[in-house]
Amino acid sequence: MSLEPSLPVMLLAGVNRPPEPKLRRQIDQELASIEHALQPGRKADGLQLLTESPQEGQYLFDYLRQHQYQAGVAIVHLTGPLQGRYLRFEGGLGEDTMDPIGFADVLGRLPGLQVVFLHGCGHRELIEQLLLRNIPAVVSLGQEGPQRKQLRDISTHFYSQLLQGKGLREAWLAVQVEFAGKLVFRKVHYDLDTDTLNWKGRDPDRPQAEWGLYVLEQNEPMLEWTLPGQGPSTAAARQTAASSKSYAWRKIVFWALTLLLLIAGAGLMYVFDLPSQMIALFRQDRPCVFPDANTYNILQLPLHPGGDCKSTDPFLADAIQRRLERLADRELEDIEVRYLSERCPVQLDEAEALIRQCQADLILWGEYDKSVKGEVLFHFSYLYTTGAVSLDRGEVTVRIPLSQLDADNDFINSGIEEVVFWARGNFHVSRQEFEEALTYFTRIQESYTENYFRVDVRMAQCYKELQMYEQALTRYDHMLAIHPDNAAAFNDRGQLYFKLKDHAAALLDFNQAILLRPDFADALFNRGLLYLEQGSFSEAISDLQTVVRIQPGAGHPYAALAAVYAELKDTENVYVHLERALERGENLGDIQQSFSSIRRYKQEDRFLQLAEKFR
């Protein structure tokens, strides 16, 4: 679809599409009804609608990946059921399952986004994360089922008000009047005492939030935003356009003079033999000109001594660039390198904008220090892609003797190799291509590095996904030999032993993790599950209750406690803890799948009532 950059885009998409054909059709019908209500805006050329359609191979993340720089997304509308705290999206590359933080990161990178409408899939954590990304307005309607028609009526009424030329605030106030007593308008502030967002009526122990519009107090003026070309503003726009036509002759004169100046400039360039130099410079500094989208595209920015761009040593920057080019020529043939010379110093937000603008896979920049005679200290920063629209960042410091040059005057090991292999390995992990990822992580292990631990973590993850458990255990053993005080590594190895039914080894690792970190909720939870498996119910209850005290807003320890009480045939405690788990966003189907003891209750009336209440 061809998009007009001057007009706002509204993106309609489904979330948490269930496998049942009937329910999937309901979501598609929901999107269609909202699209129909917005037809007046499309016909008036004031709004561009893009509707996700899995049947036609059109998906939310495909759009974000392909079009987010051609036109500004002003409105994102998601419709679908709320299923725990995770959001599941279909896509051309498979499913993307994201938590609220990950999804808010994606939407927070859309510079023109004005409002996110959560149609049946809103909850407190997602509202908070979206507002923290400085998105002006979040509309949250967090319930499905019998309320579906009412949700649709609220949505279409809100958009009809926008099409009449009203701003976000005025449109929402009109909806509040129409649906009196059902909707709220909440101004959100940052509470320094609790280090969280807060608003009237917020309950930190419940995942649900009131139906309403949420805005940060400092962003309240942004609620005056309106759709262009709608309502009363149209007449003023026409008057302005008519007035501008009367000055058309001035534009003609301006462009004629501009053309003459360009011709004169071109003549001077030819006389002084500048065209070839300008073309070379132009090609050098156009990072977006990557010849093949199937290559791994690397954008290198300058190296500088502590932010002093005037003192930049071109020899060092050239040495790094040559090493990247040699890496492409001799080791990784599908790498393409571009150098952008006039970017110094580089800030993180600028690097993030460049990697997206240039459609690169990896962007590198950094500093160097030559204060110690005979050596150079490099500190590299980098950003790399880990999915369709996700980025990750890293830093690495390498100390290299200046005498350590090879025959081509390149550093034998500059540290750049590790960055490239690390970024590429993580890219394959994000695509669940674990065998490919292992080839890059193994390359890091074979070279000098000060970051063995993080590489071991990734390699263990890949081996587990490939069900190569002995190799995974070897990586964990290697980690703990180097870092015997790392509680997370003990917990991860304990989980693997638990999976392999080696309960004695798993218990030893969980115990050690908790000894190192007494408030380590994950290790306590895992040990509680191990005790449940072994039939040590009192020990399981003790560990899981400790997790509840550490993480009062989490639902999974309550679900596990319900399973323990089911084994003890304590029916009242089963339902008490089951309801608390569901209140905190857990999914009843997932709980039944995880704990067979819970499935014994699925035909009881009280269980069915819970299923209906938290559907």
Side-chain angles (χ1 to χ4, degrees), residues 253-264:
V253 173
F254 170 79
W255 287 113
L257 291 173
T258 301
L259 180 59
L260 288 173
L261 290 172
L262 288 173
I263 293 173

Side-chain angles (χ1 to χ4, degrees), residues 407-447:
D408 295 327
N409 287 330
D410 293 329
F411 294 110
I412 292 175
N413 189 320
S414 64
I416 284 292
E417 300 86 351
E418 178 184 334
V419 171
V420 175
F421 294 146
W422 176 253
R424 293 206 67 174
N426 280 289
F427 175 77
H428 285 295
V429 168
S430 73
R431 297 168 63 95
Q432 298 187 349
E433 298 167 349
F434 300 108
E435 290 183 358
E436 292 85 346
L438 279 170
T439 62
Y440 293 104
F441 296 139
T442 301
R443 296 286 290 276
I444 299 175
Q445 289 281 1
E446 292 171 349
S447 64

Side-chain angles (χ1 to χ4, degrees), residues 178-237:
E178 182 70 19
F179 297 88
K182 298 184 181 298
L183 306 170
V184 299
F185 178 91
R186 292 290 184 241
K187 299 178 184 179
V188 181
H189 65 277
Y190 196 84
D191 191 331
L192 295 176
D193 293 332
T194 61
D195 195 30
T196 59
L197 293 181
N198 207 350
W199 62 81
K200 180 181 178 181
R202 177 184 181 274
D203 185 350
D205 293 327
R206 294 180 62 86
Q208 295 86 0
E210 298 170 285
W211 290 14
L213 185 147
Y214 295 80
V215 58
L216 288 176
E217 289 179 340
Q218 63 267 31
N219 287 339
E220 197 173 353
M222 301 174 74
L223 297 184
E224 303 306 316
W225 177 83
T226 61
L227 289 171
Q230 306 298 328
S233 61
T234 305

Side-chain angles (χ1 to χ4, degrees), residues 4 45 55 69 75 89 91 94 99 156 173 182 189 219 235 252 257 312 371 392 439 449 466 487 570-571 586 610:
E4 171 56 52
D45 292 329
Q55 298 86 351
Y69 298 108
I75 303 171
F89 299 92
D99 62 9
T156 54
L173 292 178
K182 298 184 181 298
H189 65 277
N219 287 339
I252 293 173
L257 291 173
T312 296
S371 59
D392 207 345
T439 62
T449 178
L466 294 169
D570 186 344
T571 302
E586 294 298 306
L610 279 180

